Amino acid sequence: TGAPFLRDLDDVRRNPTLDDLAMFHKLCHMLPALHSSAHHIVEPYDHPISQRHLRITYSSMKYCDKTFMGMTTSPKNADDVMEMCAILFGAEFMEDHPVTTGNCNGNSPLVWDETMLGAMRAFCRRNQPVLCSPFVLGGANTPASVPATVAQLNAEALSALAYTQVIRRGCPAIYGHYLSTVSMKSGAPMAGTPEISLMNFMIGQMARHYGVPWRSSNTLGGAKTFDAQAGYESATTLSAVIHAGANYIWHSAGWNEAGMHCSTAKFVVDAEQCAMAYRMAEGPKWHDFDEAVAAVSDIGPGGHYLGHPHTQDNFQEAFFMPELFDNNSIEQWVAEGEVEITERALNHARKLLAEYQEPRLDPATDEALRDYIARREREIPAADELNQHC
């Protein structure tokens, strides 16, 4: 989320638009492994920044029927999100149901600023969950030590969790963080390092100690393209957060170049990796154990199970079969055009978009949302007007 660039359906790195944001929301709608559409997956540069949160929220609501995140870029922007949620879901419904989440980042070390706290208050007043997320750049805004970094992060996250209960006792909140370590060669944030995995394991234990759900980040990559580096970094972090028992896993698709761009190809492959991780987290399936063991006696020494009734009944669910990874022989791969993963992924994304059907909003609700956006855009000066006033 929040990428200032994207790599598009032609794998070209460029500035995003509202249409590009809608494309990612549509892809999220079509990918079962993604449970939430976030909010500004990419920054839509073709709309004034002062009004952008309205269009981002509308895109989240219009193009995907999954839960989404609300903008917390200012207290007033958060209020706008809450008002739009009240239009869509009903203010009374929101009192008893989480319909969106808000991410509030602490300014490490040891600062929660008024912008984030104001947005936090807007969400808590409506009983909507917030992620209390210190922003860790290990070695830069935390000590150059894994245990000391976790100690600082823990204090920052707990202070925010406590503050949510001051705002409204009993309102939902999530122990959060964003984790990266900093290269001492360049100062650039790094992804997929062993220290990030260790921090996730430690934070998971702390969250369970306090009895609170916790948020982590997922398939982060520092590579400039969807290459082997991106895959290794993403797989390392994905494995760590699943084994650490994270409850709310953000940044799960497309993140690359340390968050500077969202890759369309990586987006759909990451989603499939999330599906595989989810399957692993479910653990072994025991419902058919007796039938499966009985097949051993049926087949006997030296046989094969391909035609056995148990295999025929269960092969589609017994083992995960990736759609985007090629497991055929090299001869078949060559015969089919030697298509590598990036091209396969982009072709798959095009197919998903061609098959997309919009989960249409109720016409009266849609009109009310559009009217609210139009009114607020009249009230909020566009960026160029703000610059003239400054």
Side-chain angles (χ1 to χ4, degrees):
T1 190
F5 299 96
L6 86 154
R7 282 193 173 271
D8 61 18
L9 285 165
D10 297 315
D11 203 30
V12 174
R13 186 182 185 276
R14 59 173 173 82
N15 289 337
T17 64
L18 277 168
D19 286 342
D20 295 317
L21 176 63
M23 176 193 72
F24 282 116
H25 284 150
K26 292 174 183 178
L27 286 174
C28 182
H29 182 73
M30 296 293 287
L31 293 164
L34 302 181
H35 306 148
S36 168
S37 63
H39 41 45
H40 62 317
I41 301 172
V42 291
E43 284 286 350
Y45 283 111
D46 56 342
H47 206 74
I49 191 169
S50 58
Q51 302 170 353
R52 199 175 289 170
H53 64 288
L54 299 165
R55 297 291 177 170
I56 291 169
T57 303
Y58 182 70
S59 182
S60 300
M61 294 174 167
K62 180 176 176 63
Y63 297 112
C64 183
D65 63 4
K66 299 177 182 180
T67 187
F68 61 93
M69 300 197 76
M71 302 292 291
T72 56
T73 42
S74 76
K76 187 54 187 171
N77 288 358
D79 282 331
D80 281 333
V81 172
M82 292 296 98
E83 289 299 324
M84 292 178 70
C85 286
I87 292 171
L88 179 58
F89 297 102
E92 292 185 6
F93 185 84
M94 292 171 65
E95 285 294 307
D96 304 309
H97 300 82
V99 301
T100 187
T101 57
N103 183 65
C104 296
N105 284 124
N107 289 338
S108 299
L110 306 178
V111 172
W112 286 95
D113 64 35
E114 176 54 29
T115 298
M116 289 291 96
L117 293 180
M120 187 182 293
R121 289 193 290 270
F123 274 72
C124 291
R125 282 195 296 265
R126 294 278 194 161
N127 212 35
Q128 295 304 298
V130 290
L131 317 180
C132 302
S133 304
F135 195 93
V136 169
L137 298 169
N141 64 3
T142 71
S145 158
V146 167
T149 292
V150 173
Q152 177 186 305
L153 178 154
N154 187 59
E156 293 168 340
L158 289 180
S159 65
L161 286 171
Y163 184 65
T164 64
Q165 303 310 297
V166 173
I167 301 167
R168 178 171 178 168
R169 185 174 181 83
C171 68
I174 297 171
Y175 181 121
H177 63 73
Y178 168 81
L179 296 177
S180 72
T181 52
V182 171
S183 170
M184 295 302 159
K185 296 178 181 178
S186 64
M190 298 187 294
T193 64
E195 291 77 20
I196 294 173
S197 295
L198 291 171
M199 291 181 204
N200 271 305
F201 291 134
M202 296 173 71
I203 292 162
Q205 293 186 59
M206 295 306 299
R208 286 187 288 275
H209 171 72
Y210 296 119
V212 294
W214 66 288
R215 164 253 162 142
S216 186
S217 295
N218 195 5
T219 57
L220 307 182
K224 311 308 173 282
T225 62
F226 182 33
D227 59 7
Q229 177 184 335
Y232 283 130
E233 290 171 333
S234 298
T236 297
T237 306
L238 171 59
S239 178
V241 298
I242 291 295
H243 284 98
N247 304 110
Y248 190 109
I249 306 176
W250 201 14
H251 299 136
S252 287
W255 175 292
N256 217 7
E257 197 186 335
M260 290 299 291
H261 81 252
C262 184
S263 162
T264 307
K266 189 173 185 291
F267 193 90
V268 295
V269 176
D270 283 346
E272 186 166 85
Q273 290 296 292
C274 288
M276 294 175 71
Y278 192 94
R279 171 66 192 91
M280 182 185 69
E282 288 179 319
K285 296 181 178 179
W286 296 90
H287 66 282
D288 61 339
F289 178 74
D290 291 339
E291 294 88 343
V293 170
V296 177
S297 299
D298 293 343
I299 298 301
H304 70 77
Y305 294 81
L306 295 176
H308 191 277
H310 178 268
T311 303
Q312 296 293 311
D313 291 342
N314 292 279
F315 75 94
Q316 288 184 309
E317 296 181 358
F319 306 111
F320 193 99
M321 292 183 285
E323 294 184 36
L324 297 177
F325 284 0
D326 189 298
N327 295 294
N328 295 321
S329 68
I330 190 168
E331 291 82 8
Q332 185 172 347
W333 179 71
V334 170
E336 293 176 352
E338 302 182 19
V339 180
E340 295 192 356
I341 185 64
T342 298
E343 185 178 351
R344 285 201 303 276
L346 292 174
N347 288 337
H348 185 61
R350 294 186 187 99
K351 179 177 181 291
L352 290 174
L353 292 168
E355 296 172 352
Y356 170 81
Q357 294 183 13
E358 183 180 314
R360 296 192 181 277
L361 294 169
D362 172 75
T365 301
D366 191 27
E367 183 178 1
L369 287 168
R370 289 176 177 272
D371 287 346
Y372 183 85
I373 292 171
R375 176 173 66 81
R376 290 294 292 135
E377 287 184 341
R378 290 192 299 269
E379 296 169 352
I380 303 171
D384 55 347
E385 296 172 348
L386 287 173
N387 290 337
Q388 292 173 8
H389 291 313
C390 283

